[in-house]
Amino acid sequence: MRFLFLPRLLIIFLIGYGLLNLVPIFSFEKIPTIANPLYGLILFIFLSGFLINEAMRRNKTLYVSVALELSRTRRMAHIVENMNAHASWKKTVREAVILYLQSNDFTDDKKSDASFHVMTHEIYAFEPKTEKDRILFEELLCLTREVSFQRQELVHSLSSPISPYTWTVFLFVGLISIFLLFLIRDNSLLASLYTYFVTIMVFLIGDLLLQLTQLSTSQKEAYQNMYAENAKRIEQE
């Protein structure tokens, strides 16, 4: 379960307060222009915006992939029911589709591999005899390919959109900006408040990005419930 919002927020404010009181005041009157913390903060904001956008795009892709896969599998079950195939084959494919939906596990995306292979094996083994079956079978194959594609999109979306190297750069830029800010801080109240709130902002952005790149337990359960509900709908039809 994700760490609750308020405790995280409190910890970030305490970190900012602790740094403000523990880091000594250097009061450098002059620093090289290149060491101006404003440059680092601008770079940090642009980098944060890019990474947050990537994380949000990943989450949207995940939702769309799940929705498309559910609609395609339901359509597959409907097509199979309308084919003039042997009843045992239709039952086997229908059960394979239901088993595939029930086996989806967002904590381990490989658990559904076996059931997916069983489903596709049963579908590919069919040989249409009538013109109607050939037309429906072509559509069934197209849907199977689409489900396979959505599975790849799903697996890709479940992985973090930010690599460890990118995280390192992100943290380095943020921490360097904070360090330079403390370096030029003086004894004035305005400087202390500015340093405090900018430090909090950097940590809040980092926390936001961390939350966007990780699926919570409740989110995973919600997606798995969508698959389970879809399987129940097919069973009842």
Side-chain angles (χ1 to χ4, degrees), residues 3-227:
F3 202 33
L4 296 178
F5 170 71
L6 288 179
R8 292 202 320 271
L9 192 63
L10 179 61
I11 289 173
I12 289 173
F13 273 86
L14 289 176
I15 290 174
Y17 182 78
L19 289 174
L20 197 66
N21 286 275
L22 293 176
V23 177
I25 297 176
F26 297 99
S27 297
F28 284 110
E29 295 182 359
K30 293 183 179 181
I31 62 171
T33 304
I34 196 172
N36 191 326
L38 181 62
Y39 299 142
L41 290 172
I42 292 174
L43 177 60
F44 179 79
I45 290 171
F46 275 105
L47 183 60
S48 300
F50 172 76
L51 295 178
I52 289 173
N53 179 68
E54 284 296 300
M56 293 178 68
R57 185 182 61 82
R58 187 285 301 259
N59 291 337
K60 181 179 179 181
T61 300
L62 177 61
Y63 178 80
V64 171
S65 296
V66 169
L68 287 175
E69 187 174 26
L70 294 178
S71 66
R72 298 299 185 267
T73 49
R74 194 162 59 249
R75 176 62 180 161
M76 288 168 64
H78 292 164
I79 289 177
V80 169
E81 287 300 318
N82 287 281
M83 294 175 72
N84 296 323
H86 195 278
S88 61
W89 178 82
K90 294 165 69 171
K91 180 182 178 182
T92 301
V93 174
R94 188 166 176 272
E95 290 176 348
V97 172
I98 293 172
L99 178 62
Y100 167 66
L101 292 171
Q102 292 174 338
S103 65
N104 271 276
D105 188 348
F106 278 75
T107 60
D108 185 2
D109 52 87
K110 293 183 179 180
K111 284 187 177 181
S112 59
D113 285 349
S115 56
F116 179 76
H117 292 152
V118 170
M119 181 181 72
T120 55
H121 175 75
E122 294 296 336
I123 292 173
Y124 295 150
F126 179 71
E127 295 182 5
K129 303 294 183 182
T130 65
E131 184 63 24
K132 176 185 176 182
D133 277 358
R134 276 191 287 271
I135 295 173
L136 291 176
F137 186 61
E138 286 180 5
E139 185 175 354
L140 183 61
L141 291 177
C142 288
L143 290 172
T144 304
R145 284 193 294 269
E146 289 181 20
V147 170
S148 178
F149 174 76
Q150 294 304 327
R151 273 178 56 80
Q152 296 303 318
E153 287 286 303
L154 196 63
V155 171
H156 178 71
S157 298
L158 285 173
S159 61
S160 175
I162 302 178
S163 66
Y165 179 76
T166 306
W167 270 115
T168 302
V169 173
F170 172 79
L171 293 174
F172 180 77
V173 172
L175 292 176
I176 286 296
S177 300
I178 292 174
F179 171 75
L180 293 175
L181 203 58
F182 274 95
L183 203 62
I184 64 171
R185 178 177 58 125
D186 56 31
N187 287 311
S188 67
L189 177 62
L190 180 62
S192 296
L193 290 175
Y194 177 76
T195 303
Y196 177 63
F197 285 111
V198 170
T199 301
I200 289 174
M201 179 198 71
V202 170
F203 280 101
L204 284 175
I205 291 175
D207 180 65
L208 171 64
L209 187 58
L210 182 63
Q211 301 307 311
L212 287 174
T213 55
Q214 294 180 339
L215 278 182
S216 66
T217 303
S218 60
Q219 285 177 309
K220 292 178 181 178
E221 290 177 350
Y223 281 128
Q224 287 181 203
N225 288 336
M226 290 171 65
Y227 278 86

